[in-house]
Amino acid sequence: MQAVSATQDPQGTPRDTSEALLVTLMRMLRLIKRAHDAPIEPALQYVLYNVNCTGPLRLSDLAAQVQLDISTVSRHVRALEVSGHLERAADPADKRAALLSVTESGRKVLHDTFARRRAVLSTALSAWPEADLNTLEHLLNRLADDLETELKPSAPKRSDS
Amino acid sequence: MQAVSATQDPQGTPRDTSEALLVTLMRMLRLIKRAHDAPIEPALQYVLYNVNCTGPLRLSDLAAQVQLDISTVSRHVRALEVSGHLERAADPADKRAALLSVTESGRKVLHDTFARRRAVLSTALSAWPEADLNTLEHLLNRLADDLETELKPSAPKRSDS
DNA sequence: TGCGCTTGGTTGGGTCATGCAACTATTACC
DNA sequence: GGTAATAGTTGCATGACCCAACCAAGCGCA
């Protein structure tokens, strides 16, 4: 099956589209992390962002969503709570659980962070045609979804085609 | 300037293409890392891969290439050396430096790792038209280059348009 | 009602990756 | 030779993780 267009010689020196893609991804992430200028750590941003997106939700659901261990998320949530960017409300349906939601302060942090980052990306992307940008986002999302579908059959998610 | 197509309401809830893109990237990287099934750690893979790509090279050059601190790379190189995947040859021109190169064993590890990963990606991408895959790679690379150009003016790199 | 099982979260402990700063070994330049 | 730059290494601290053990609130059920 050659849909992946591998172009590696048999004796090592592996080089194929998907691999190069991966390396590019890593490089990018590193660059972005490096340019970290925000009021909160990248990992916290990530969590906060996700809480913001999917409304009040349980810690365990959040963990599933961001694909981190519950314990990890638990600590991040605590940190965000202490700094006032996130708050927990008792789940009326289950006293064990707590519903997380972003506070005003948290929203502000997110907003600022994104504004900053957007500035960076804007510059880098200013020469990009809108269409390309949308295409990239679309394809990347599809890839992520497909990958997720494959790696976690438990979460039957469908990519848009 | 709206090339980035921000669609966020003024009061928080930031949502724009670039941000979503970033989050998708993080999710993907995590997925891939999670599926880590290889004989060596991802970070070591990354280093090994780069040594393999750009032939015998110095540690400092390698560090620049992978964008990690020299000390970090130093440790990774040591680890790879100990496990026999990498070897250092004295640089004839400079006794301080060493030239790193991948051993046969290292090539094998890379090969296996990539084969494994390729299998995963192949499945995920089997339904993808080749064209989309190429487009994705192309756009992603462009993005990485543009970003790099902006974040490190020291490295005047040009993206292909 | 009270004993066990399940489930939502927290905590303890350990690992890996990484950067910064201090240090050693070589060169390079006068 | 003496001093400054350079290639790497090592000590130390931090952040982000995960796994396993644990606590606490429901849930069944006799």
Side-chain angles (χ1 to χ4, degrees):
Chain A
M1 199 275 283
Q2 278 310 79
V4 187
S5 77
T7 28
Q8 48 117 28
D9 62 359
Q11 193 48 279
T13 330
R15 261 235 86 247
D16 70 326
T17 306
S18 48
E19 203 51 47
L21 201 144
L22 229 55
V23 171
T24 303
L25 248 50
M26 295 193 64
R27 186 160 60 101
M28 262 185 53
L29 262 283
R30 221 179 288 284
L31 272 168
I32 291 168
K33 219 171 189 177
R34 181 74 59 87
H36 155 53
D37 189 20
I40 57 175
E41 302 294 322
L44 297 185
Q45 272 172 48
Y46 181 57
V47 167
L48 194 54
Y49 175 82
N50 276 277
V51 173
N52 190 50
C53 285
T54 50
L57 80 174
R58 293 183 173 192
L59 199 152
S60 45
D61 293 335
L62 176 58
Q65 183 177 315
V66 298
Q67 311 207 59
L68 287 173
D69 193 88
I70 296 193
S71 64
T72 302
V73 177
S74 172
R75 282 177 244 261
H76 287 169
V77 163
R78 157 96 92 239
L80 287 168
E81 201 186 356
V82 165
S83 46
H85 302 320
L86 208 110
E87 64 190 0
R88 352 165 66 117
D91 185 338
D94 189 336
K95 245 177 253 171
R96 289 167 301 179
L99 292 178
L100 309 171
S101 51
V102 178
T103 63
E104 207 42 58
S105 145
R107 258 186 291 277
K108 177 156 180 20
V109 165
L110 275 179
H111 182 74
D112 292 355
T113 299
F114 290 153
R116 221 174 303 218
R117 192 134 60 198
R118 193 174 306 122
V120 172
L121 282 169
S122 289
T123 309
L125 298 176
S126 53
W128 283 48
E130 178 97 9
D132 281 4
L133 194 56
N134 288 334
T135 303
L136 176 56
E137 192 198 1
H138 179 71
L139 291 177
L140 209 50
N141 269 313
R142 178 138 60 103
L143 177 57
D145 286 349
D146 284 357
L147 229 39
E148 189 164 9
T149 304
E150 188 190 349
L151 295 177
K152 327 196 72 174
S154 48
K157 212 171 176 182
R158 263 327 293 151
S159 74
D160 59 335
S161 86
Chain B
M1 197 280 284
Q2 279 308 80
V4 187
S5 77
T7 26
Q8 48 118 30
D9 62 357
Q11 191 49 281
T13 329
R15 261 233 89 246
D16 69 328
T17 306
S18 48
E19 201 52 46
L21 201 145
L22 226 57
V23 171
T24 303
L25 247 49
M26 294 192 65
R27 184 161 63 102
M28 262 185 54
L29 261 283
R30 220 179 288 284
L31 270 169
I32 292 167
K33 219 172 191 177
R34 181 73 60 87
H36 154 54
D37 190 18
I40 57 176
E41 302 293 324
L44 297 186
Q45 272 172 46
Y46 182 55
V47 167
L48 193 56
Y49 174 80
N50 276 276
V51 173
N52 189 52
C53 285
T54 51
L57 80 172
R58 294 186 172 191
L59 198 152
S60 45
D61 293 336
L62 176 58
Q65 184 177 314
V66 299
Q67 311 205 61
L68 288 173
D69 193 87
I70 297 191
S71 63
T72 302
V73 177
S74 173
R75 282 177 246 262
H76 288 169
V77 163
R78 158 96 91 238
L80 287 168
E81 202 187 354
V82 166
S83 46
H85 303 319
L86 208 110
E87 65 191 356
R88 353 166 62 118
D91 184 337
D94 188 336
K95 245 176 252 168
R96 290 168 300 181
L99 291 178
L100 310 171
S101 53
V102 178
T103 64
E104 207 43 57
S105 144
R107 257 185 293 278
K108 175 152 181 25
V109 166
L110 275 180
H111 182 76
D112 292 354
T113 299
F114 290 153
R116 219 172 302 218
R117 193 134 62 197
R118 192 175 306 121
V120 171
L121 281 169
S122 290
T123 308
L125 297 176
S126 52
W128 283 50
E130 180 97 6
D132 281 2
L133 192 57
N134 289 333
T135 304
L136 176 57
E137 192 197 3
H138 179 70
L139 291 177
L140 208 51
N141 270 315
R142 178 139 59 102
L143 177 57
D145 286 349
D146 285 356
L147 230 39
E148 189 163 9
T149 305
E150 189 192 347
L151 296 177
K152 328 196 73 178
S154 48
K157 210 171 176 182
R158 264 325 296 150
S159 74
D160 59 336
S161 86

